[in-house]
Amino acid sequence: MRIDSIRLKNFRMFRDVRLNKLPNCCVFVGANGTGKTSLFDLFGFLYDALTYNVKHALTKRGGFSEVVSRGQSGPIELELKFRDLKTTSSLVTYCLIIDLVNNRPVVKREILKYRPKNQGGGPKHFLDFSLGLGKVIAYDNQYQEQKLVSSDILALNGLGQLQQFEVAGELRHFIENWHISDIQINEARKMNPINGYNEHLSHNGDNLALFARSVYDNYPDKYQEIMQKMARRVPGLSFCEPVITEEGRILLKFQEHAFKAPFLSWQVSDGTISLLSYLLLLHDPNPHTLLCVEEPNNQLYPDILMILAEEFSLYALMGESQVFVSTHSPDFLNGAELTEVFWLSKKDGYTQVHTTAEKALFKKLVDVGNLPGALWTEGFFKGAHP
């Protein structure tokens, strides 16, 4: 399952923007303030709205007035189209409209629609709610009236837990397994208690040692593959072992060829910690349905970035995962396919999104040996530079 297109209206810096034909791996570039972080926050916003409610998702971001586009009064409209669901071969559309009623945030409209199997005609609304009231299609293909306990919760959350609503359940599971990564080196250097969270690498990497130990113990072949890649990219490094101390904590010991005594995580470079974090993230035995990563180029040597970009593409191709990455690095962009690259610019204060796939000139330039990062540096991505 993957996101095929996104439409944002009155959401942060996006006055009215549509992103179409999204590939499995998408790389977003643009100057500071053009909206890359706002785009990625869409996924965090939907996750919070589904897990809690719309009011919580808005409050976490400063309230409705901070989320709605500047100069606009609303409503906020989010529309996502999905392909490759297991439960239907149709293109599935989920639309969420949020507004204020009596100065309180509400779900003004929530729609889930797709074309049923073996039926002609246009897409059918299988879920259609407004202000806590709505209808759903049950087993008998007839609409049933439903009422939610509050006008700020998503019907997708409740219905997605019921077996008879398979498409809603698959979409709910997809959103619940999104992951937004923003690795913080100081957090990743910490020792971890052995009884902490180790199912995935956390969003800021503060359980790096614990997650490394989990992969080390349960997936030794995968861990060995990560170590081989680390050794090729970090001069002198031979291995990194997640060791359990007598106090019941886990620390990372880095072994270099030239020294008998290992180095601890706070003694090695930021780049070494960063590379280990991303390789563990991209070799997760249970990959996320959608992985969003902001600025993975930080702390890494330029020559490594092109390889790292290829690792992101492989992650998207090998499983059922989709990857969104933002970067300021031409070197990282050089490792991406031209069809994966999108660039953001601003016009009249709002974000515009462009795709290299629409530019025939870009394809010709790449076909004769130019790299995407070079095209960006040379100014072909208009508006993507300060």
Side-chain angles (χ1 to χ4, degrees), residues 11-32:
F11 181 80
R12 292 198 177 275
M13 298 178 65
F14 298 91
R15 174 65 184 88
D16 193 352
V17 168
R18 185 182 292 275
L19 291 78
N20 293 316
K21 298 181 180 179
L22 295 169
N24 279 0
C25 185
C26 304
V27 182
F28 296 89
V29 300
N32 289 330

PDB file of all heavy atoms in Angstrom, residues 11-32:
ATOM      1  N   PHE A  11      -3.572  24.213   4.736  1.00  0.00           N
ATOM      2  CA  PHE A  11      -2.792  23.513   5.756  1.00  0.00           C
ATOM      3  C   PHE A  11      -1.398  24.117   5.804  1.00  0.00           C
ATOM      4  O   PHE A  11      -0.612  23.977   4.857  1.00  0.00           O
ATOM      5  CB  PHE A  11      -2.715  22.016   5.460  1.00  0.00           C
ATOM      6  CG  PHE A  11      -1.932  21.230   6.489  1.00  0.00           C
ATOM      7  CD1 PHE A  11      -2.521  20.860   7.682  1.00  0.00           C
ATOM      8  CD2 PHE A  11      -0.606  20.868   6.264  1.00  0.00           C
ATOM      9  CE1 PHE A  11      -1.817  20.138   8.638  1.00  0.00           C
ATOM     10  CE2 PHE A  11       0.111  20.150   7.209  1.00  0.00           C
ATOM     11  CZ  PHE A  11      -0.504  19.781   8.407  1.00  0.00           C
ATOM     12  N   ARG A  12      -1.128  24.846   6.878  1.00  0.00           N
ATOM     13  CA  ARG A  12       0.166  25.502   7.078  1.00  0.00           C
ATOM     14  C   ARG A  12       0.534  26.360   5.857  1.00  0.00           C
ATOM     15  O   ARG A  12      -0.199  27.269   5.498  1.00  0.00           O
ATOM     16  CB  ARG A  12       1.233  24.482   7.430  1.00  0.00           C
ATOM     17  CG  ARG A  12       1.003  23.833   8.825  1.00  0.00           C
ATOM     18  CD  ARG A  12       2.251  23.186   9.318  1.00  0.00           C
ATOM     19  NE  ARG A  12       2.139  22.625  10.648  1.00  0.00           N
ATOM     20  CZ  ARG A  12       2.304  23.306  11.784  1.00  0.00           C
ATOM     21  NH1 ARG A  12       2.569  24.592  11.753  1.00  0.00           N
ATOM     22  NH2 ARG A  12       2.223  22.703  12.958  1.00  0.00           N
ATOM     23  N   MET A  13       1.642  26.069   5.200  1.00  0.00           N
ATOM     24  CA  MET A  13       2.106  26.905   4.101  1.00  0.00           C
ATOM     25  C   MET A  13       1.480  26.521   2.761  1.00  0.00           C
ATOM     26  O   MET A  13       1.786  27.112   1.727  1.00  0.00           O
ATOM     27  CB  MET A  13       3.633  26.835   3.997  1.00  0.00           C
ATOM     28  CG  MET A  13       4.348  27.357   5.233  1.00  0.00           C
ATOM     29  SD  MET A  13       6.136  27.219   5.115  1.00  0.00           S
ATOM     30  CE  MET A  13       6.466  28.335   3.758  1.00  0.00           C
ATOM     31  N   PHE A  14       0.584  25.512   2.782  1.00  0.00           N
ATOM     32  CA  PHE A  14       0.009  25.013   1.541  1.00  0.00           C
ATOM     33  C   PHE A  14      -1.405  25.568   1.361  1.00  0.00           C
ATOM     34  O   PHE A  14      -2.374  25.059   1.939  1.00  0.00           O
ATOM     35  CB  PHE A  14      -0.014  23.483   1.558  1.00  0.00           C
ATOM     36  CG  PHE A  14       1.360  22.874   1.652  1.00  0.00           C
ATOM     37  CD1 PHE A  14       1.923  22.594   2.893  1.00  0.00           C
ATOM     38  CD2 PHE A  14       2.093  22.611   0.512  1.00  0.00           C
ATOM     39  CE1 PHE A  14       3.191  22.055   2.990  1.00  0.00           C
ATOM     40  CE2 PHE A  14       3.365  22.069   0.595  1.00  0.00           C
ATOM     41  CZ  PHE A  14       3.916  21.787   1.832  1.00  0.00           C
ATOM     42  N   ARG A  15      -1.507  26.622   0.552  1.00  0.00           N
ATOM     43  CA  ARG A  15      -2.812  27.254   0.310  1.00  0.00           C
ATOM     44  C   ARG A  15      -3.707  26.331  -0.498  1.00  0.00           C
ATOM     45  O   ARG A  15      -4.868  26.143  -0.188  1.00  0.00           O
ATOM     46  CB  ARG A  15      -2.602  28.600  -0.425  1.00  0.00           C
ATOM     47  CG  ARG A  15      -3.869  29.293  -0.869  1.00  0.00           C
ATOM     48  CD  ARG A  15      -4.711  29.727   0.309  1.00  0.00           C
ATOM     49  NE  ARG A  15      -5.969  30.305  -0.148  1.00  0.00           N
ATOM     50  CZ  ARG A  15      -7.073  29.616  -0.392  1.00  0.00           C
ATOM     51  NH1 ARG A  15      -7.069  28.298  -0.246  1.00  0.00           N
ATOM     52  NH2 ARG A  15      -8.170  30.217  -0.790  1.00  0.00           N
ATOM     53  N   ASP A  16      -3.189  25.759  -1.550  1.00  0.00           N
ATOM     54  CA  ASP A  16      -3.929  24.780  -2.353  1.00  0.00           C
ATOM     55  C   ASP A  16      -2.933  24.082  -3.268  1.00  0.00           C
ATOM     56  O   ASP A  16      -2.574  24.601  -4.325  1.00  0.00           O
ATOM     57  CB  ASP A  16      -5.033  25.456  -3.164  1.00  0.00           C
ATOM     58  CG  ASP A  16      -6.028  24.450  -3.760  1.00  0.00           C
ATOM     59  OD1 ASP A  16      -5.768  23.230  -3.657  1.00  0.00           O
ATOM     60  OD2 ASP A  16      -7.047  24.893  -4.314  1.00  0.00           O
ATOM     61  N   VAL A  17      -2.472  22.916  -2.865  1.00  0.00           N
ATOM     62  CA  VAL A  17      -1.406  22.207  -3.572  1.00  0.00           C
ATOM     63  C   VAL A  17      -1.768  20.740  -3.730  1.00  0.00           C
ATOM     64  O   VAL A  17      -2.356  20.124  -2.830  1.00  0.00           O
ATOM     65  CB  VAL A  17      -0.063  22.328  -2.804  1.00  0.00           C
ATOM     66  CG1 VAL A  17       0.976  21.365  -3.343  1.00  0.00           C
ATOM     67  CG2 VAL A  17       0.468  23.751  -2.885  1.00  0.00           C
ATOM     68  N   ARG A  18      -1.423  20.175  -4.863  1.00  0.00           N
ATOM     69  CA  ARG A  18      -1.608  18.741  -5.096  1.00  0.00           C
ATOM     70  C   ARG A  18      -0.289  18.121  -5.532  1.00  0.00           C
ATOM     71  O   ARG A  18       0.395  18.659  -6.408  1.00  0.00           O
ATOM     72  CB  ARG A  18      -2.672  18.497  -6.166  1.00  0.00           C
ATOM     73  CG  ARG A  18      -3.002  17.018  -6.364  1.00  0.00           C
ATOM     74  CD  ARG A  18      -4.015  16.815  -7.464  1.00  0.00           C
ATOM     75  NE  ARG A  18      -5.323  17.335  -7.123  1.00  0.00           N
ATOM     76  CZ  ARG A  18      -6.248  16.664  -6.428  1.00  0.00           C
ATOM     77  NH1 ARG A  18      -5.970  15.455  -5.990  1.00  0.00           N
ATOM     78  NH2 ARG A  18      -7.417  17.196  -6.176  1.00  0.00           N
ATOM     79  N   LEU A  19       0.055  16.985  -4.928  1.00  0.00           N
ATOM     80  CA  LEU A  19       1.227  16.208  -5.325  1.00  0.00           C
ATOM     81  C   LEU A  19       0.711  14.921  -5.958  1.00  0.00           C
ATOM     82  O   LEU A  19       0.039  14.116  -5.293  1.00  0.00           O
ATOM     83  CB  LEU A  19       2.107  15.873  -4.119  1.00  0.00           C
ATOM     84  CG  LEU A  19       2.868  17.009  -3.434  1.00  0.00           C
ATOM     85  CD1 LEU A  19       1.945  17.827  -2.543  1.00  0.00           C
ATOM     86  CD2 LEU A  19       4.002  16.436  -2.586  1.00  0.00           C
ATOM     87  N   ASN A  20       1.023  14.713  -7.236  1.00  0.00           N
ATOM     88  CA  ASN A  20       0.489  13.574  -7.967  1.00  0.00           C
ATOM     89  C   ASN A  20       1.561  12.544  -8.296  1.00  0.00           C
ATOM     90  O   ASN A  20       2.754  12.864  -8.352  1.00  0.00           O
ATOM     91  CB  ASN A  20      -0.170  14.045  -9.269  1.00  0.00           C
ATOM     92  CG  ASN A  20      -1.418  14.861  -9.027  1.00  0.00           C
ATOM     93  OD1 ASN A  20      -2.248  14.510  -8.195  1.00  0.00           O
ATOM     94  ND2 ASN A  20      -1.560  15.962  -9.751  1.00  0.00           N
ATOM     95  N   LYS A  21       1.107  11.318  -8.510  1.00  0.00           N
ATOM     96  CA  LYS A  21       1.970  10.221  -8.966  1.00  0.00           C
ATOM     97  C   LYS A  21       3.216  10.094  -8.096  1.00  0.00           C
ATOM     98  O   LYS A  21       4.348  10.105  -8.581  1.00  0.00           O
ATOM     99  CB  LYS A  21       2.360  10.428 -10.430  1.00  0.00           C
ATOM    100  CG  LYS A  21       1.168  10.423 -11.373  1.00  0.00           C
ATOM    101  CD  LYS A  21       1.593  10.617 -12.820  1.00  0.00           C
ATOM    102  CE  LYS A  21       0.400  10.601 -13.754  1.00  0.00           C
ATOM    103  NZ  LYS A  21       0.784  10.818 -15.172  1.00  0.00           N
ATOM    104  N   LEU A  22       2.997   9.989  -6.800  1.00  0.00           N
ATOM    105  CA  LEU A  22       4.115   9.874  -5.868  1.00  0.00           C
ATOM    106  C   LEU A  22       4.762   8.491  -5.985  1.00  0.00           C
ATOM    107  O   LEU A  22       4.082   7.474  -5.865  1.00  0.00           O
ATOM    108  CB  LEU A  22       3.624  10.105  -4.438  1.00  0.00           C
ATOM    109  CG  LEU A  22       3.107  11.517  -4.149  1.00  0.00           C
ATOM    110  CD1 LEU A  22       2.406  11.558  -2.789  1.00  0.00           C
ATOM    111  CD2 LEU A  22       4.241  12.523  -4.187  1.00  0.00           C
ATOM    112  N   PRO A  23       6.074   8.419  -6.202  1.00  0.00           N
ATOM    113  CA  PRO A  23       6.754   7.121  -6.285  1.00  0.00           C
ATOM    114  C   PRO A  23       6.977   6.522  -4.891  1.00  0.00           C
ATOM    115  O   PRO A  23       6.653   7.136  -3.877  1.00  0.00           O
ATOM    116  CB  PRO A  23       8.079   7.467  -6.960  1.00  0.00           C
ATOM    117  CG  PRO A  23       8.330   8.882  -6.567  1.00  0.00           C
ATOM    118  CD  PRO A  23       6.983   9.539  -6.462  1.00  0.00           C
ATOM    119  N   ASN A  24       7.566   5.347  -4.851  1.00  0.00           N
ATOM    120  CA  ASN A  24       7.833   4.697  -3.567  1.00  0.00           C
ATOM    121  C   ASN A  24       8.845   5.479  -2.737  1.00  0.00           C
ATOM    122  O   ASN A  24       8.808   5.449  -1.509  1.00  0.00           O
ATOM    123  CB  ASN A  24       8.348   3.275  -3.784  1.00  0.00           C
ATOM    124  CG  ASN A  24       7.224   2.306  -4.063  1.00  0.00           C
ATOM    125  OD1 ASN A  24       6.065   2.693  -4.093  1.00  0.00           O
ATOM    126  ND2 ASN A  24       7.561   1.050  -4.286  1.00  0.00           N
ATOM    127  N   CYS A  25       9.763   6.161  -3.390  1.00  0.00           N
ATOM    128  CA  CYS A  25      10.741   6.988  -2.692  1.00  0.00           C
ATOM    129  C   CYS A  25      10.664   8.404  -3.239  1.00  0.00           C
ATOM    130  O   CYS A  25      10.778   8.607  -4.459  1.00  0.00           O
ATOM    131  CB  CYS A  25      12.161   6.436  -2.881  1.00  0.00           C
ATOM    132  SG  CYS A  25      13.424   7.318  -1.935  1.00  0.00           S
ATOM    133  N   CYS A  26      10.411   9.365  -2.359  1.00  0.00           N
ATOM    134  CA  CYS A  26      10.276  10.768  -2.758  1.00  0.00           C
ATOM    135  C   CYS A  26      11.323  11.595  -2.011  1.00  0.00           C
ATOM    136  O   CYS A  26      11.432  11.488  -0.790  1.00  0.00           O
ATOM    137  CB  CYS A  26       8.889  11.307  -2.419  1.00  0.00           C
ATOM    138  SG  CYS A  26       7.514  10.375  -3.135  1.00  0.00           S
ATOM    139  N   VAL A  27      12.061  12.422  -2.742  1.00  0.00           N
ATOM    140  CA  VAL A  27      13.081  13.282  -2.148  1.00  0.00           C
ATOM    141  C   VAL A  27      12.670  14.736  -2.388  1.00  0.00           C
ATOM    142  O   VAL A  27      12.465  15.150  -3.537  1.00  0.00           O
ATOM    143  CB  VAL A  27      14.472  13.018  -2.748  1.00  0.00           C
ATOM    144  CG1 VAL A  27      15.518  13.904  -2.077  1.00  0.00           C
ATOM    145  CG2 VAL A  27      14.844  11.543  -2.596  1.00  0.00           C
ATOM    146  N   PHE A  28      12.553  15.498  -1.298  1.00  0.00           N
ATOM    147  CA  PHE A  28      12.091  16.878  -1.376  1.00  0.00           C
ATOM    148  C   PHE A  28      13.240  17.830  -1.056  1.00  0.00           C
ATOM    149  O   PHE A  28      13.918  17.674  -0.044  1.00  0.00           O
ATOM    150  CB  PHE A  28      10.938  17.112  -0.394  1.00  0.00           C
ATOM    151  CG  PHE A  28       9.707  16.303  -0.716  1.00  0.00           C
ATOM    152  CD1 PHE A  28       9.534  15.031  -0.197  1.00  0.00           C
ATOM    153  CD2 PHE A  28       8.727  16.812  -1.556  1.00  0.00           C
ATOM    154  CE1 PHE A  28       8.414  14.274  -0.500  1.00  0.00           C
ATOM    155  CE2 PHE A  28       7.603  16.079  -1.865  1.00  0.00           C
ATOM    156  CZ  PHE A  28       7.443  14.796  -1.337  1.00  0.00           C
ATOM    157  N   VAL A  29      13.428  18.807  -1.932  1.00  0.00           N
ATOM    158  CA  VAL A  29      14.465  19.806  -1.716  1.00  0.00           C
ATOM    159  C   VAL A  29      13.834  21.198  -1.774  1.00  0.00           C
ATOM    160  O   VAL A  29      12.729  21.367  -2.295  1.00  0.00           O
ATOM    161  CB  VAL A  29      15.597  19.686  -2.756  1.00  0.00           C
ATOM    162  CG1 VAL A  29      16.247  18.328  -2.701  1.00  0.00           C
ATOM    163  CG2 VAL A  29      15.060  19.970  -4.171  1.00  0.00           C
ATOM    164  N   GLY A  30      14.545  22.161  -1.249  1.00  0.00           N
ATOM    165  CA  GLY A  30      14.055  23.533  -1.252  1.00  0.00           C
ATOM    166  C   GLY A  30      14.784  24.348  -0.205  1.00  0.00           C
ATOM    167  O   GLY A  30      15.380  23.803   0.730  1.00  0.00           O
ATOM    168  N   ALA A  31      14.739  25.654  -0.366  1.00  0.00           N
ATOM    169  CA  ALA A  31      15.390  26.544   0.587  1.00  0.00           C
ATOM    170  C   ALA A  31      14.693  26.486   1.935  1.00  0.00           C
ATOM    171  O   ALA A  31      13.563  25.970   2.057  1.00  0.00           O
ATOM    172  CB  ALA A  31      15.371  27.980   0.048  1.00  0.00           C
ATOM    173  N   ASN A  32      15.359  26.989   2.978  1.00  0.00           N
ATOM    174  CA  ASN A  32      14.729  27.078   4.289  1.00  0.00           C
ATOM    175  C   ASN A  32      13.446  27.905   4.190  1.00  0.00           C
ATOM    176  O   ASN A  32      13.411  28.948   3.523  1.00  0.00           O
ATOM    177  CB  ASN A  32      15.674  27.746   5.291  1.00  0.00           C
ATOM    178  CG  ASN A  32      16.835  26.846   5.649  1.00  0.00           C
ATOM    179  OD1 ASN A  32      16.727  25.637   5.637  1.00  0.00           O
ATOM    180  ND2 ASN A  32      17.978  27.454   5.952  1.00  0.00           N
TER     181      ASN A  32
END
